[in-house]
Coordinates of all heavy atoms in Angstrom, one line a residue:
N88 N -15.0 -20.7 -3.9 CA -13.7 -21.4 -3.6 C -13.0 -20.8 -2.4 O -12.4 -21.5 -1.6 CB -12.9 -21.3 -4.9 CG -13.4 -22.1 -6.0 OD1 -14.2 -23.0 -5.8 ND2 -13.0 -21.7 -7.2
W89 N -13.0 -19.5 -2.3 CA -12.3 -18.8 -1.1 C -13.0 -19.2 0.2 O -12.4 -19.5 1.2 CB -12.4 -17.3 -1.3 CG -11.5 -16.8 -2.4 CD1 -10.4 -17.5 -3.0 CD2 -11.5 -15.5 -3.0 NE1 -9.8 -16.7 -3.9 CE2 -10.5 -15.5 -4.0 CE3 -12.4 -14.4 -2.9 CZ2 -10.3 -14.3 -4.7 CZ3 -12.1 -13.3 -3.6 CH2 -11.1 -13.2 -4.6
R90 N -14.3 -19.3 0.1 CA -15.1 -19.7 1.3 C -14.7 -21.1 1.7 O -14.5 -21.5 2.9 CB -16.6 -19.6 1.0 CG -17.5 -20.1 2.2 CD -18.9 -20.1 1.7 NE -19.8 -20.5 2.8 CZ -21.1 -20.7 2.7 NH1 -21.7 -20.5 1.5 NH2 -21.8 -21.1 3.7
A91 N -14.6 -22.0 0.7 CA -14.3 -23.4 0.9 C -12.9 -23.7 1.4 O -12.7 -24.6 2.2 CB -14.6 -24.3 -0.3
A92 N -12.0 -22.8 1.1 CA -10.6 -22.9 1.4 C -10.2 -22.5 2.8 O -9.1 -22.7 3.3 CB -9.7 -22.2 0.4
T93 N -11.2 -21.9 3.5 CA -10.9 -21.2 4.8 C -11.7 -21.8 6.0 O -12.8 -22.4 5.8 CB -11.1 -19.7 4.7 OG1 -12.5 -19.5 4.3 CG2 -10.2 -19.1 3.8
P94 N -11.2 -21.7 7.2 CA -11.9 -22.3 8.4 C -13.2 -21.6 8.6 O -13.4 -20.5 8.1 CB -10.9 -22.1 9.5 CG -9.6 -21.8 8.9 CD -9.8 -21.2 7.5
D95 N -14.0 -22.2 9.4 CA -15.4 -21.7 9.7 C -15.3 -20.3 10.3 O -16.2 -19.4 10.0 CB -16.1 -22.6 10.7 CG -16.5 -23.9 10.0 OD1 -16.4 -24.0 8.8 OD2 -16.8 -24.9 10.8
D96 N -14.3 -20.0 11.1 CA -14.3 -18.7 11.8 C -13.5 -17.6 11.0 O -13.4 -16.5 11.5 CB -13.6 -18.9 13.2 CG -13.7 -17.6 14.0 OD1 -14.8 -17.1 14.1 OD2 -12.6 -17.2 14.6
F97 N -13.1 -17.9 9.8 CA -12.4 -16.9 9.0 C -13.4 -15.9 8.4 O -14.5 -16.3 8.0 CB -11.6 -17.6 7.9 CG -10.6 -16.7 7.2 CD1 -9.4 -16.5 7.7 CD2 -10.9 -16.1 6.0 CE1 -8.5 -15.7 7.1 CE2 -10.0 -15.3 5.3 CZ -8.8 -15.1 5.9
R98 N -12.9 -14.6 8.2 CA -13.8 -13.6 7.7 C -13.1 -12.8 6.6 O -11.9 -12.5 6.7 CB -14.3 -12.7 8.8 CG -15.2 -13.4 9.8 CD -16.5 -13.8 9.2 NE -17.4 -14.4 10.2 CZ -17.5 -15.7 10.4 NH1 -16.7 -16.6 9.7 NH2 -18.3 -16.2 11.3
F99 N -13.9 -12.4 5.6 CA -13.4 -11.6 4.5 C -14.0 -10.2 4.6 O -15.1 -10.0 4.9 CB -13.8 -12.2 3.1 CG -13.2 -13.5 2.8 CD1 -13.7 -14.7 3.3 CD2 -12.0 -13.5 2.0 CE1 -13.1 -15.9 3.0 CE2 -11.4 -14.8 1.7 CZ -12.0 -15.9 2.2
F100 N -13.1 -9.2 4.2 CA -13.5 -7.8 4.2 C -13.2 -7.2 2.8 O -12.2 -6.5 2.6 CB -12.8 -7.0 5.3 CG -13.2 -7.4 6.7 CD1 -12.6 -8.6 7.3 CD2 -14.0 -6.6 7.5 CE1 -13.0 -9.0 8.5 CE2 -14.4 -7.0 8.8 CZ -13.9 -8.2 9.3
P101 N -14.0 -7.5 1.8 CA -13.7 -7.1 0.5 C -13.9 -5.6 0.2 O -14.9 -5.0 0.6 CB -14.6 -8.0 -0.4 CG -15.8 -8.3 0.5 CD -15.2 -8.3 1.9
K102 N -13.0 -5.0 -0.6 CA -13.2 -3.7 -1.1 C -14.1 -3.6 -2.3 O -13.9 -4.4 -3.2 CB -11.8 -3.0 -1.4 CG -11.9 -1.5 -1.7 CD -10.6 -1.0 -2.3 CE -9.6 -0.9 -1.2 NZ -8.3 -0.1 -1.7
L103 N -15.1 -2.8 -2.3 CA -16.0 -2.7 -3.5 C -15.2 -2.2 -4.7 O -14.2 -1.4 -4.6 CB -17.1 -1.7 -3.2 CG -18.1 -2.2 -2.1 CD1 -19.1 -1.1 -1.7 CD2 -18.9 -3.5 -2.6

Side-chain angles (χ1 to χ4, degrees):
N88 291 339
W89 290 341
R90 178 186 181 187
T93 52
D95 291 344
D96 189 47
F97 193 81
R98 294 294 181 267
F99 293 85
F100 294 77
K102 186 189 289 189
L103 292 170

